[in-house]
Amino acid sequence: CFVRDMRSILLTHAVVSLMVGGSDAFVPSRAFSQGRVGSLSQKRLSSPRKFPQVVVRSTDPTIELVENIELIGDDSAAFALEKQSLEDWIKFSAATGFVLISLSYLWFLPMGPHWGDTFLETTQSTIGTTDPALTIFSMLTIFAVCHSGLAGLRPYAEEIVGARAWRVLFACVSLPLALSCISYFVNHSHDGPRLWDVTGVPGLHGLFWITNFISFIFLYPSTFNLLEIAAIEKPQLHLWETGIIRITRHPQAVGQIMWCGAHTAWLGTPTAIAASSVLVLHHVYSMWHGDRRLKMKHGEAFEQVKARTSWVPFAAILDGRQQLPEDYYKEFLRGPYLLVVGGTTAAYFAHPFMQAGAALLKW
């Protein structure tokens, strides 16, 4: 079961048109198109929402108790059809199509210069082996350094080249590297000795499928911001606060850990272990990296959001720091999440096609 393959493709496609983020290392951007609620550093809504009339309590004595805090972050996955511009979406389609076709020619297609083959060969010659586990470990490490490195340089680079130009550069580096890793993993995930085999255990396939499905719900809200991700609208570093952020401040990392756990347990191969180890370490790092970047951008506003959220799922809710609205479920009944549910289901049934497509590379 390779549900994550489509997830990665969708995320990296979204960077131009990112995965896996990420996580905050995966360049946060704007709501599916619109959805700002405001922040301390930017304008508020005319009638901001409030938390319930209770004191925010914490088991951590270093956290200041706050009462009646307004929602100062951004509204996750908000999408209003009436606010959409047909012209913007035409530009989006044209821009993403051009970038994807260009990168496909340069990186993968037989008639192109085969930069993807060069990347794979260079990686294997550097590590001195063609072993699949060591190869995918190295490829993903290169991706992680480039991806998070460029994300870390973002505030400085944007001052020089602008937010849109930096987003395009980020995408042109991250997208082909990510797709290379995905393709190689699909082709070699079953390689090597099977260290354990739980495929015959009743109920486990269903359990792992549900785990993978839920992991898609833990997409970082900026994943939905297609117009910003494609630089049609100016990319923003958003301070999200609603939706999945109420459960965990780092949903991309949590979702990735869930996906890696399920796939590694099911496959039981050295290649799966190697890939998952890098992905988990990268996303654990992205928790610190993302918080650092949000602190630099939003200052005190981030500290207040951090005080009433947690990276451990449900921890802030259980210890009373996060008070869920009575209509909390409505924060998920939005277009972007419906698209995620449909796309995740379709990806499961599209696995044979993804495997066939990856096999064409003969990697």
Side-chain angles (χ1 to χ4, degrees), residues 36-353:
R36 286 204 59 78
V37 175
S39 69
L40 289 183
S41 58
Q42 304 193 33
K43 69 177 183 179
R44 300 177 181 273
L45 285 180
S46 57
S47 55
R49 297 172 62 184
K50 293 179 178 292
F51 280 86
Q53 299 278 328
V54 296
V55 172
V56 179
R57 305 184 187 281
S58 172
T59 55
D60 185 345
T62 65
I63 295 178
E64 180 181 359
L65 301 182
V66 187
E67 192 170 7
N68 298 334
I69 305 176
E70 293 180 351
L71 186 65
I72 60 175
D74 295 350
D75 194 13
S76 304
F79 179 78
L81 184 61
E82 63 274 11
K83 295 182 179 180
Q84 305 307 304
S85 165
L86 178 60
E87 180 182 356
D88 284 345
W89 286 104
I90 291 175
K91 292 178 180 178
F92 166 82
S93 301
T96 55
F98 173 77
V99 171
L100 288 174
I101 290 172
S102 300
L103 291 178
S104 295
Y105 169 77
L106 294 170
W107 209 261
F108 298 112
L109 295 181
M111 70 287 293
H114 302 279
W115 289 0
D117 292 340
T118 302
F119 169 60
L120 176 60
E121 293 167 1
T122 302
T123 300
Q124 292 179 329
S125 64
T126 300
I127 62 177
T129 180
T130 58
D131 177 76
L134 293 177
T135 298
I136 192 61
F137 186 95
S138 301
M139 292 172 70
L140 284 169
T141 299
I142 294 170
F143 167 78
V145 171
C146 293
H147 196 89
S148 289
L150 291 175
L153 291 173
R154 177 181 175 181
Y156 313 104
E158 287 185 344
E159 294 292 327
I160 301 172
V161 301
R164 286 184 170 90
W166 187 251
R167 175 56 53 83
V168 173
L169 175 62
F170 176 90
C172 289
V173 173
S174 296
L175 183 59
L177 292 178
L179 291 178
S180 294
C181 294
I182 295 166
S183 300
Y184 188 88
F185 178 78
V186 171
N187 284 336
H188 296 277
S189 58
H190 291 274
D191 289 1
R194 197 156 200 171
L195 304 178
W196 60 80
D197 187 356
V198 298
T199 57
V201 179
L204 274 188
H205 181 272
L207 175 63
F208 291 154
W209 191 94
I210 292 172
T211 301
N212 286 317
F213 186 91
I214 294 175
S215 75
F216 281 76
I217 305 301
F218 282 82
L219 288 172
Y220 194 75
S222 289
T223 305
F224 308 135
N225 307 345
L226 300 184
L227 293 181
E228 280 190 21
I229 288 174
I232 303 302
E233 294 181 349
K234 184 179 179 181
Q236 305 288 332
L237 183 60
H238 288 274
L239 180 62
W240 301 113
E241 191 172 4
T242 63
I244 196 67
I245 301 297
R246 297 185 188 274
I247 295 176
T248 170
R249 192 169 66 256
H250 296 288
Q252 194 79 30
V254 172
Q256 185 68 75
I257 292 170
M258 293 172 64
W259 181 91
C260 287
H263 277 72
T264 301
W266 184 255
L267 292 170
T269 62
T271 304
I273 295 172
S276 292
S277 62
V278 179
L279 289 169
V280 170
L281 288 173
H282 183 203
H283 283 75
V284 169
Y285 165 77
S286 77
M287 295 183 191
W288 170 83
H289 191 214
D291 281 353
R292 181 186 69 84
R293 296 171 61 220
L294 288 172
K295 170 65 175 177
M296 289 174 59
K297 176 68 175 180
H298 296 281
E300 181 59 27
F302 168 70
E303 291 296 338
Q304 292 195 39
V305 171
K306 181 180 179 181
R308 56 192 186 220
T309 56
S310 61
W311 77 265
V312 177
F314 301 103
I317 297 173
L318 293 175
D319 67 19
R321 288 181 288 133
Q322 176 66 240
Q323 300 292 323
L324 297 180
E326 293 182 1
D327 59 349
Y328 175 57
Y329 69 94
K330 293 182 179 178
E331 295 181 359
F332 291 92
L333 298 181
R334 293 174 171 179
Y337 279 109
L338 296 178
L339 184 63
V340 169
V341 170
T344 303
T345 305
Y348 175 76
F349 293 104
H351 272 48
F353 302 101

